[in-house]
Amino acid sequence: MKVAMGQFAVSREWQENAAVCLDLMARAEAGGADLLVLPEAVLASDIADPDLVLKAAQPLDGPFLTQLLAKSQGSALTTIMSIHVPTEGGKALNVLVALRNGEIIAAYEKLHLYDAFAMQESQRVNPGHVIPPLIEVAGMKVGLMTCYDVRFPELARRLALDGAEVLVLPAAWVKGPLKEMHWELLTTARALENTCYMVAVGECGPRNIGNSLTIDPLGVAIAKAPESAALVFADLDPQRIAYARSVLPVLENRRFARPELKTE
């Protein structure tokens, strides 16, 4: 599988962000990618206006995704990102969507909300309640995660036990003391401990670190992006997964049961 990591700074205007996404889709397809991963929350962003995620939220059949779905029509490229979708109580859902050939082939509502490091995502966003599905891209099984999810090893392990060979992680990783180290450490750990590829794509710009990266099943970073806008490609090899799982059979050797969601 050939993946593309499309990293950019999200602006206030959804029309501008849609244009960037459309351009990245065209460039990824021209580069022969099977999978394009974009950042988290690509509809709109403004450090000075945290309520913008609510004011800019759109339904899945809104104008933002309608444009992207039209662009994807007739294409085998799978594009993954997250957007905010209005929901009850005047809040939103942070929904990861996978688009291909004019359809939304998967949607996942973010389970773990970023109530940490003096931020409170749950003030504006409701959590999901369903473990994300796997999708198939270029013959490989892909598990879906969103940003803060990476700090919870249970989700990555559950996806690996469900059959995931690749984990994707759209993110908006906020800058701060040790945060770049956390990003590399956590994404590498989730790949290595599950012998999966990890494709983690972060928003760049004044608040977030960028630094998108692809990690192989033995913890080797095979592609990295800088702190600025970029489109970076990487090749994922099923034989590398098979080798990793033969020499490091952690999924077989584990003594714990498959993780399940807590009942509310």
PDB file of all heavy atoms in Angstrom, residues 82-95:
ATOM      1  N   SER A  82     -10.906  13.967  10.069  1.00  0.00           N
ATOM      2  CA  SER A  82     -12.057  14.124  10.952  1.00  0.00           C
ATOM      3  C   SER A  82     -12.635  15.521  10.811  1.00  0.00           C
ATOM      4  O   SER A  82     -11.915  16.482  10.497  1.00  0.00           O
ATOM      5  CB  SER A  82     -11.705  13.820  12.413  1.00  0.00           C
ATOM      6  OG  SER A  82     -11.318  14.972  13.126  1.00  0.00           O
ATOM      7  N   ILE A  83     -13.954  15.602  11.047  1.00  0.00           N
ATOM      8  CA  ILE A  83     -14.662  16.884  11.040  1.00  0.00           C
ATOM      9  C   ILE A  83     -15.618  16.915  12.231  1.00  0.00           C
ATOM     10  O   ILE A  83     -15.947  15.874  12.800  1.00  0.00           O
ATOM     11  CB  ILE A  83     -15.451  17.129   9.732  1.00  0.00           C
ATOM     12  CG1 ILE A  83     -16.644  16.157   9.609  1.00  0.00           C
ATOM     13  CG2 ILE A  83     -14.556  17.026   8.512  1.00  0.00           C
ATOM     14  CD1 ILE A  83     -17.625  16.542   8.516  1.00  0.00           C
ATOM     15  N   HIS A  84     -16.058  18.116  12.595  1.00  0.00           N
ATOM     16  CA  HIS A  84     -17.050  18.253  13.656  1.00  0.00           C
ATOM     17  C   HIS A  84     -18.452  18.279  13.046  1.00  0.00           C
ATOM     18  O   HIS A  84     -18.715  19.018  12.097  1.00  0.00           O
ATOM     19  CB  HIS A  84     -16.796  19.513  14.476  1.00  0.00           C
ATOM     20  CG  HIS A  84     -15.642  19.365  15.419  1.00  0.00           C
ATOM     21  ND1 HIS A  84     -14.370  19.809  15.123  1.00  0.00           N
ATOM     22  CD2 HIS A  84     -15.562  18.777  16.641  1.00  0.00           C
ATOM     23  CE1 HIS A  84     -13.560  19.522  16.131  1.00  0.00           C
ATOM     24  NE2 HIS A  84     -14.256  18.890  17.062  1.00  0.00           N
ATOM     25  N   VAL A  85     -19.316  17.454  13.621  1.00  0.00           N
ATOM     26  CA  VAL A  85     -20.684  17.273  13.143  1.00  0.00           C
ATOM     27  C   VAL A  85     -21.640  17.685  14.261  1.00  0.00           C
ATOM     28  O   VAL A  85     -21.466  17.249  15.409  1.00  0.00           O
ATOM     29  CB  VAL A  85     -20.920  15.803  12.740  1.00  0.00           C
ATOM     30  CG1 VAL A  85     -22.370  15.565  12.356  1.00  0.00           C
ATOM     31  CG2 VAL A  85     -19.991  15.419  11.589  1.00  0.00           C
ATOM     32  N   PRO A  86     -22.661  18.509  13.986  1.00  0.00           N
ATOM     33  CA  PRO A  86     -23.584  18.927  15.049  1.00  0.00           C
ATOM     34  C   PRO A  86     -24.313  17.734  15.661  1.00  0.00           C
ATOM     35  O   PRO A  86     -24.639  16.760  14.978  1.00  0.00           O
ATOM     36  CB  PRO A  86     -24.570  19.849  14.319  1.00  0.00           C
ATOM     37  CG  PRO A  86     -23.908  20.211  13.032  1.00  0.00           C
ATOM     38  CD  PRO A  86     -23.011  19.070  12.669  1.00  0.00           C
ATOM     39  N   THR A  87     -24.573  17.835  16.964  1.00  0.00           N
ATOM     40  CA  THR A  87     -25.327  16.792  17.648  1.00  0.00           C
ATOM     41  C   THR A  87     -26.171  17.436  18.739  1.00  0.00           C
ATOM     42  O   THR A  87     -26.205  18.663  18.886  1.00  0.00           O
ATOM     43  CB  THR A  87     -24.395  15.701  18.208  1.00  0.00           C
ATOM     44  OG1 THR A  87     -25.173  14.584  18.635  1.00  0.00           O
ATOM     45  CG2 THR A  87     -23.557  16.202  19.362  1.00  0.00           C
ATOM     46  N   GLU A  88     -26.836  16.600  19.545  1.00  0.00           N
ATOM     47  CA  GLU A  88     -27.767  17.117  20.545  1.00  0.00           C
ATOM     48  C   GLU A  88     -27.037  17.880  21.642  1.00  0.00           C
ATOM     49  O   GLU A  88     -25.843  17.726  21.851  1.00  0.00           O
ATOM     50  CB  GLU A  88     -28.577  15.964  21.157  1.00  0.00           C
ATOM     51  CG  GLU A  88     -27.770  14.996  22.013  1.00  0.00           C
ATOM     52  CD  GLU A  88     -27.129  13.885  21.212  1.00  0.00           C
ATOM     53  OE1 GLU A  88     -27.275  13.855  19.975  1.00  0.00           O
ATOM     54  OE2 GLU A  88     -26.475  13.024  21.835  1.00  0.00           O
ATOM     55  N   GLY A  89     -27.815  18.704  22.349  1.00  0.00           N
ATOM     56  CA  GLY A  89     -27.261  19.459  23.465  1.00  0.00           C
ATOM     57  C   GLY A  89     -26.406  20.634  23.059  1.00  0.00           C
ATOM     58  O   GLY A  89     -25.638  21.156  23.875  1.00  0.00           O
ATOM     59  N   GLY A  90     -26.499  21.062  21.800  1.00  0.00           N
ATOM     60  CA  GLY A  90     -25.710  22.187  21.337  1.00  0.00           C
ATOM     61  C   GLY A  90     -24.234  21.885  21.211  1.00  0.00           C
ATOM     62  O   GLY A  90     -23.413  22.805  21.138  1.00  0.00           O
ATOM     63  N   LYS A  91     -23.875  20.603  21.190  1.00  0.00           N
ATOM     64  CA  LYS A  91     -22.480  20.207  21.050  1.00  0.00           C
ATOM     65  C   LYS A  91     -22.237  19.597  19.672  1.00  0.00           C
ATOM     66  O   LYS A  91     -23.099  19.656  18.788  1.00  0.00           O
ATOM     67  CB  LYS A  91     -22.101  19.220  22.157  1.00  0.00           C
ATOM     68  CG  LYS A  91     -22.052  19.846  23.548  1.00  0.00           C
ATOM     69  CD  LYS A  91     -21.472  18.871  24.556  1.00  0.00           C
ATOM     70  CE  LYS A  91     -21.316  19.499  25.926  1.00  0.00           C
ATOM     71  NZ  LYS A  91     -20.677  18.572  26.902  1.00  0.00           N
ATOM     72  N   ALA A  92     -21.059  19.032  19.492  1.00  0.00           N
ATOM     73  CA  ALA A  92     -20.693  18.401  18.230  1.00  0.00           C
ATOM     74  C   ALA A  92     -20.126  17.021  18.512  1.00  0.00           C
ATOM     75  O   ALA A  92     -19.823  16.667  19.661  1.00  0.00           O
ATOM     76  CB  ALA A  92     -19.655  19.246  17.492  1.00  0.00           C
ATOM     77  N   LEU A  93     -19.996  16.234  17.481  1.00  0.00           N
ATOM     78  CA  LEU A  93     -19.244  14.988  17.496  1.00  0.00           C
ATOM     79  C   LEU A  93     -18.001  15.181  16.646  1.00  0.00           C
ATOM     80  O   LEU A  93     -18.048  15.839  15.606  1.00  0.00           O
ATOM     81  CB  LEU A  93     -20.081  13.837  16.939  1.00  0.00           C
ATOM     82  CG  LEU A  93     -21.281  13.390  17.767  1.00  0.00           C
ATOM     83  CD1 LEU A  93     -22.185  12.487  16.935  1.00  0.00           C
ATOM     84  CD2 LEU A  93     -20.841  12.676  19.034  1.00  0.00           C
ATOM     85  N   ASN A  94     -16.889  14.629  17.092  1.00  0.00           N
ATOM     86  CA  ASN A  94     -15.650  14.644  16.323  1.00  0.00           C
ATOM     87  C   ASN A  94     -15.628  13.336  15.523  1.00  0.00           C
ATOM     88  O   ASN A  94     -15.328  12.278  16.078  1.00  0.00           O
ATOM     89  CB  ASN A  94     -14.452  14.750  17.264  1.00  0.00           C
ATOM     90  CG  ASN A  94     -13.146  14.985  16.545  1.00  0.00           C
ATOM     91  OD1 ASN A  94     -13.022  14.720  15.358  1.00  0.00           O
ATOM     92  ND2 ASN A  94     -12.146  15.462  17.281  1.00  0.00           N
ATOM     93  N   VAL A  95     -15.979  13.429  14.254  1.00  0.00           N
ATOM     94  CA  VAL A  95     -16.217  12.231  13.451  1.00  0.00           C
ATOM     95  C   VAL A  95     -15.096  12.040  12.430  1.00  0.00           C
ATOM     96  O   VAL A  95     -14.862  12.890  11.572  1.00  0.00           O
ATOM     97  CB  VAL A  95     -17.576  12.313  12.720  1.00  0.00           C
ATOM     98  CG1 VAL A  95     -17.831  11.021  11.935  1.00  0.00           C
ATOM     99  CG2 VAL A  95     -18.708  12.557  13.708  1.00  0.00           C
TER     100      VAL A  95
END
